Amino acid sequence: MKRTAGQLVYAVLVLLVSSIAVFYAIRLSGGDSSAAALPGTATPEFREEFRERLGLNEPIYQQYFTFIGKVVSGNPGTSLTNNAPLTKMLKIHGQNSLILGGAAFGLVFAIGIPLGMIASLRRNSWTDHGIMSFSTVAMAIPNFWLALLAVWLFASTLGWLPAAGCCSLKQLVLPAVVLAFEGIALTVRMTRSSMIESQKSDYVRTLRAGGISEWRITGKHVLRNAMIPIISLAGLRIGQIVGYALIVETIFGWPGLGQVLVNAVLRRDYPVAQFFSLVLVTLVVLGNWLADTGYTIANPRLRKST
């Protein structure tokens, strides 16, 4: 319990420091925030009045506390470009990101764990070499290049799937697979190495000597022990998916949190950029905390020490 509470306190501190860093980075990145809301014909005096009304002329530390106060109160503000409430935008675009991220997260483990198991059971065979070669290539391909390649091959050349859009099953396939690709490769390698390590344990040799079938040993004992590092990896995959979503959603035109954040930064829409950056940072920190907590729960030795 103490270990879990300590991890939670650490996560809160990381989130606080990250929120300060993100806020200052966006505010100090340059550009004119009034350009997002005012026409090009607006006079300098009117632009100055607009910035003053939004509190952008106040000291930056004071702007940070004002922003955090609004977020805590549940009213983070509205967008400068369309005057839409940020809570409403979060509901709409967050749902789209949840669909895409959930699909990618499911693919990571639905494909990665079985392939890793097969590779470990067929160790040093052509099957093992083929699966590991795939994982190596998948880890080496840049995410944005894979997205462009997928659009060129499956949308432009073969015409099997749409190149962009939301939110049908066909439109989900390409961005979900691209978003999950590197995670699948990492899960394959982690599962294989963890399975092989567990297969070398003394208790496995004892079970084999007792005449228990190989499939039962693998499914009931080896896989259960091999899942401990995979559970830890699961939380880290959340952060990876959140980070790559910025690229994938933009390329495939998927209207999620990542695409909204990229557009807000380009337009200097400060309220949207600040709020959605904080949301994504929170998801990454939460994923890391869940990874630590899951690892503690799954590992009996750590569970007894808490």
Side-chain angles (χ1 to χ4, degrees), residues 267-287:
R267 296 171 181 173
R268 295 297 185 269
D269 193 342
Y270 285 160
V272 175
Q274 292 164 182
F275 179 64
F276 282 94
S277 295
L278 183 61
V279 170
L280 295 182
V281 169
T282 301
L283 291 175
V284 173
V285 173
L286 179 62

Side-chain angles (χ1 to χ4, degrees), residues 56-85:
L56 298 178
N57 292 336
E58 297 176 353
I60 192 168
Y61 70 88
Q62 190 172 338
Q63 295 181 42
Y64 170 78
F65 287 118
T66 301
F67 165 67
I68 292 297
K70 289 182 178 180
V71 172
V72 173
S73 67
N75 183 25
T78 58
S79 169
L80 296 180
T81 55
N82 56 19
N83 206 34

Side-chain angles (χ1 to χ4, degrees), residues 37-279:
L38 301 180
T41 56
T43 63
E45 293 78 10
F46 189 73
R47 293 182 183 277
E48 184 64 24
E49 181 183 348
F50 174 81
R51 286 190 286 266
E52 185 175 353
R53 188 167 67 250
L54 293 179
L56 298 178
N57 292 336
E58 297 176 353
I60 192 168
Y61 70 88
Q62 190 172 338
Q63 295 181 42
Y64 170 78
F65 287 118
T66 301
F67 165 67
I68 292 297
K70 289 182 178 180
V71 172
V72 173
S73 67
N75 183 25
T78 58
S79 169
L80 296 180
T81 55
N82 56 19
N83 206 34
L86 298 185
T87 51
K88 184 178 180 180
M89 293 179 64
L90 176 62
K91 182 179 179 181
I92 296 173
H93 298 287
Q95 181 179 348
N96 294 335
S97 287
L98 186 62
I99 293 172
L100 177 58
F105 192 80
L107 288 174
V108 166
F109 298 101
I111 298 176
I113 292 177
L115 286 180
M117 291 178 61
I118 294 172
S120 68
L121 296 174
R122 300 288 186 269
R123 187 181 179 187
N124 295 326
S125 67
W126 65 269
T127 303
D128 180 26
H129 293 316
I131 293 175
M132 296 310 294
S133 297
F134 157 76
S135 67
T136 301
V137 172
M139 291 174 61
I141 298 178
N143 195 261
F144 72 91
W145 189 81
L146 178 63
L148 296 176
L149 182 63
V151 170
W152 169 77
L153 179 60
F154 296 104
S156 301
T157 304
L158 299 176
W160 291 352
L161 296 167
C166 176
C167 297
S168 68
L169 182 60
K170 278 190 173 183
Q171 292 169 328
L172 177 62
V173 172
L174 283 183
V177 171
V178 170
L179 193 57
F181 211 65
E182 183 175 343
I184 291 173
L186 291 170
T187 303
V188 167
R189 302 180 74 88
M190 178 66 74
T191 303
R192 179 185 181 274
S193 61
S194 187
M195 289 279 292
I196 291 175
E197 183 177 354
S198 296
Q199 288 167 356
K200 295 178 180 179
S201 302
D202 293 336
Y203 75 91
V204 173
R205 287 193 288 267
T206 302
L207 292 172
R208 285 171 179 161
I212 300 177
S213 66
E214 192 67 27
W215 283 107
R216 185 177 178 184
I217 293 174
T218 301
K220 187 176 180 180
H221 300 280
V222 174
L223 181 60
R224 183 174 62 183
N225 286 280
M227 286 298 292
I228 294 176
I230 298 173
I231 291 174
S232 178
L233 187 70
L236 299 179
R237 292 286 73 75
I238 296 177
Q240 182 189 51
I241 288 174
V242 169
Y244 286 157
L246 298 173
I247 300 173
V248 173
E249 289 182 358
T250 301
I251 292 177
F252 288 100
W254 188 272
L257 300 178
Q259 187 188 51
V260 171
L261 176 58
V262 170
N263 291 335
V265 171
L266 294 176
R267 296 171 181 173
R268 295 297 185 269
D269 193 342
Y270 285 160
V272 175
Q274 292 164 182
F275 179 64
F276 282 94
S277 295
L278 183 61
V279 170

